[in-house]
Amino acid sequence: MDDEYAKLIRRMNPPRVVIDNNTCEDATVIQVDSVNKHGILLQVIQVLNDVNLVIKKAYISSDGGWFMDVFNVIDCDGKKIRDQEVIDYIQQRLETDASFAPSLRSSVGVMPTEEHTSIEFTGTDRPGLFSEVCAVLADLHCNVVNAEIWTHNDRAAAVVHVTDHSTGCAIKDPKRLSTIKELLFNVLRGYDDFRKAKTSLSPPGIMNRERRLHQIMFDDRDYERVEKAVGRVEDKSSRPQVTVLNIEKDYTVITMRSKDRPKLLFDIVCTLTDMQYVVFHGMVNTGRTEAYQEFYIRHVDGLPISSEAERERVIQCLEAAIERRASEGLELELCTEDCVGLLSDITRIFRENSLSIKRAEISTIGRKVKDTFYVTDVTGNPVDPKIIDSIRRQIGHTKLQVKRNTILAPKPPKETTTGFFLGNFFKARTFQTFKLIRSYS
């Protein structure tokens, strides 16, 4: 009965979206008002991510059964959103209640879509792992059309979309699907994997690929830190700063300071949602290179964090959420005509030259591929430029481009975004009624 009443309230009060290019000088302001429900913040942010918008500032409030958020956004070129097609898409997606359908949490199954078969896997990361996976798929006459691969804390996870080489469609033969799953599992298992590798052929659904990767790595407990390999240079100063405080008995306050990057807010809210926390109030501010975020949260049961163990777990999980998509290493971009076995050949060349793929985004549009790889040497340190020159000669200088090296990038001066929030923001909005923050104990 309560569920039907909630549906009635949402039908009577459909979401309202205002997209304003006049109020702010350097950003488009998007305001979303709606009846509140669990997960709505993540769904709104995901829509903005789908059109590659960068969130520069955000003000979040969802107390009292109503959701009222404001986002200052720009496009990838740092400009306001002028494309009417993009504006119409955002308006339609956010104002159509059906677009707020809860995300489908994938399960193990053999139910390919008409276009492709989706493969998910997790395992212990090691140099050459993705190359071995691509070689197996090529041998089984599978063409990788899209994929995203993340590595973090010596764990690897991927969502890979494949088609049959001969038909260009999804693979539906149960026996062949079983063979693919078994052989990939053998590759992922390795020799001394202390944690069990997992491979699944996932059913069709509306699950966002990046959203699913967060769930896979969270379930795989990648947030548990491991000792780095000997010879690995780790810059601890670049680690995100996460603090967890309590406001008397009302809220837990989470503050985060880290390097700014696209989709950072999405990654953080994904993890809070997966951990069954609700953001009641929040604020985001980004400088030239740094982001500051502050959220007032409670668990879905209405209680703030109540134990030291849970506080530590939240800190670990949020650090992992920030780090998973961090662009580690040298960024290489491959643009060329698609052909059978291309990805297997490219990753084999990387492996033969002792490159380790830390993250990758694989995409195919028509007969063109545009793949992005973030690579280091096998110890996690910067790659020798001579090796990169040799690889580019093998593949083709026009096909493989060097974009940037995040390991060697100069460190920006420290920014001071905190003062803006803890001062002006509290005075300007409903946070002024909150009690003084005290340290968690």
Side-chain angles (χ1 to χ4, degrees):
M1 187 66 181
D2 289 343
D3 187 49
E4 290 301 317
Y5 178 73
K7 290 179 181 178
L8 175 62
I9 293 297
R10 284 199 295 273
R11 283 197 298 269
M12 294 173 61
N13 299 276
R16 186 173 70 93
V17 179
V18 176
I19 300 177
D20 178 11
N21 269 317
N22 299 319
T23 302
C24 182
E25 183 179 345
D26 55 2
T28 298
V29 179
I30 300 177
Q31 181 175 333
V32 183
D33 297 334
S34 172
V35 174
N36 190 31
K37 65 175 182 176
H38 181 53
I40 189 173
L41 175 61
L42 176 58
Q43 292 153 13
V44 170
I45 295 171
Q46 184 169 308
V47 170
L48 301 181
N49 281 353
D50 287 345
V51 287
N52 296 316
L53 299 186
V54 178
I55 299 172
K56 301 302 292 180
K57 292 182 181 180
Y59 307 95
I60 300 162
S61 180
S62 60
D63 249 345
W66 198 256
F67 174 86
M68 295 178 289
D69 287 7
V70 178
F71 302 91
N72 287 22
V73 301
I74 55 175
D75 63 18
C76 294
D77 297 321
K79 299 177 181 178
K80 292 185 178 184
I81 316 307
R82 302 290 187 184
D83 188 331
Q84 192 59 45
E85 187 176 349
V86 172
I87 292 173
D88 291 344
Y89 173 84
I90 296 170
Q91 200 105 29
Q92 182 179 3
R93 283 290 308 276
L94 295 181
E95 289 188 345
T96 303
D97 193 54
S99 71
F100 288 115
S103 294
L104 174 69
R105 195 172 179 94
S106 295
S107 57
V108 176
V110 184
M111 294 175 61
T113 67
E114 290 298 321
E115 295 81 17
H116 60 255
T117 299
S118 182
I119 301 172
E120 301 174 355
F121 67 74
T122 56
T124 299
D125 186 31
R126 65 177 187 272
L129 175 63
F130 188 49
S131 173
E132 294 174 39
V133 168
C134 292
V136 168
L137 293 174
D139 288 342
L140 294 171
H141 307 290
C142 300
N143 184 45
V144 178
V145 291
N146 293 291
E148 192 144 355
I149 300 93
W150 291 358
T151 64
H152 180 248
N153 279 349
D154 287 349
R155 303 300 293 169
V159 176
V160 183
H161 296 164
V162 301
T163 58
D164 180 83
H165 274 166
S166 58
T167 66
C169 299
I171 301 165
K172 297 183 178 180
D173 178 23
K175 186 177 291 186
R176 188 176 173 194
L177 290 170
S178 180
T179 300
I180 293 171
K181 186 174 178 179
E182 181 181 352
L183 292 180
L184 285 178
F185 177 78
N186 290 338
V187 169
L188 293 164
R189 185 174 56 185
Y191 303 102
D192 300 306
D193 196 350
F194 68 96
R195 280 150 122 181
K196 190 176 180 182
K198 297 177 183 176
T199 306
S200 68
L201 301 163
S202 59
I206 59 173
M207 173 62 70
N208 174 278
R209 192 168 63 201
E210 298 161 334
R211 173 87 177 92
R212 183 61 188 140
L213 277 167
H214 276 297
Q215 290 183 340
I216 293 170
M217 299 205 86
F218 176 73
D219 291 342
D220 196 44
R221 302 174 69 89
D222 74 307
Y223 51 84
E224 295 176 345
R225 292 204 172 271
V226 296
E227 292 295 327
K228 295 293 182 182
V230 176
R232 172 71 168 96
V233 178
E234 183 181 13
D235 182 8
K236 293 186 178 181
S237 66
S238 66
R239 289 262 301 273
Q241 300 173 21
V242 181
T243 60
V244 177
L245 309 169
N246 266 12
I247 301 180
E248 298 300 332
K249 298 179 180 179
D250 299 323
Y251 296 95
T252 294
V253 183
I254 296 176
T255 60
M256 289 157 285
R257 183 190 293 276
S258 66
K259 289 182 180 178
D260 189 29
R261 59 170 175 78
K263 302 185 179 181
L264 177 61
L265 179 59
F266 173 79
D267 294 340
I268 289 169
V269 176
C270 272
T271 295
L272 289 173
T273 303
D274 288 340
M275 297 185 75
Q276 299 295 300
Y277 285 104
V278 179
V279 176
F280 285 88
H281 300 278
M283 45 206 169
V284 176
N285 190 33
T286 62
R288 188 169 59 88
T289 59
E290 191 175 60
Y292 179 84
Q293 306 190 42
E294 185 166 4
F295 298 118
Y296 290 70
I297 69 165
R298 288 199 293 256
H299 196 265
V300 289
D301 61 10
L303 299 175
I305 293 173
S306 58
S307 72
E308 179 64 22
E310 181 64 7
R311 187 185 78 90
E312 287 297 326
R313 182 170 176 265
V314 167
I315 291 174
Q316 287 181 338
C317 290
L318 289 174
E319 287 177 345
I322 294 169
E323 293 171 343
R324 283 174 195 142
R325 205 202 295 259
S327 301
E328 180 181 357
L330 182 68
E331 181 181 348
L332 302 175
E333 184 177 88
L334 176 73
C335 295
T336 186
E337 291 284 332
D338 193 18
C339 63
V340 174
L342 174 66
L343 189 58
S344 176
D345 292 339
I346 296 297
T347 54
R348 174 182 53 78
I349 292 172
F350 286 176
R351 174 168 51 85
E352 289 173 349
N353 284 274
S354 300
L355 297 193
S356 180
I357 297 173
K358 310 307 291 183
R359 189 163 68 88
E361 299 171 18
I362 311 300
S363 61
T364 306
I365 302 175
R367 295 298 302 167
K368 293 282 188 181
V369 300
K370 184 178 180 181
D371 302 343
T372 303
F373 303 92
Y374 297 88
V375 299
T376 65
D377 69 9
V378 291
T379 63
N381 290 319
V383 182
D384 187 336
K386 294 179 181 178
I387 293 177
I388 295 300
D389 288 340
S390 173
I391 292 173
R392 292 186 68 201
R393 282 195 298 271
Q394 286 180 264
I395 297 173
H397 283 83
T398 58
K399 296 178 181 178
L400 186 67
Q401 299 285 336
V402 177
K403 304 301 287 185
R404 60 183 178 139
N405 193 337
T406 57
I407 291 180
L408 299 179
K411 295 181 181 179
K414 193 156 184 75
E415 298 173 11
T416 56
T417 53
T418 309
F420 168 80
F421 283 111
L422 296 184
N424 299 341
F425 189 86
F426 275 11
K427 295 175 184 177
R429 297 180 64 84
T430 56
F431 292 87
Q432 63 188 358
T433 60
F434 287 178
K435 299 173 183 177
L436 291 176
I437 300 174
R438 65 174 175 82
S439 296
Y440 182 93
S441 58

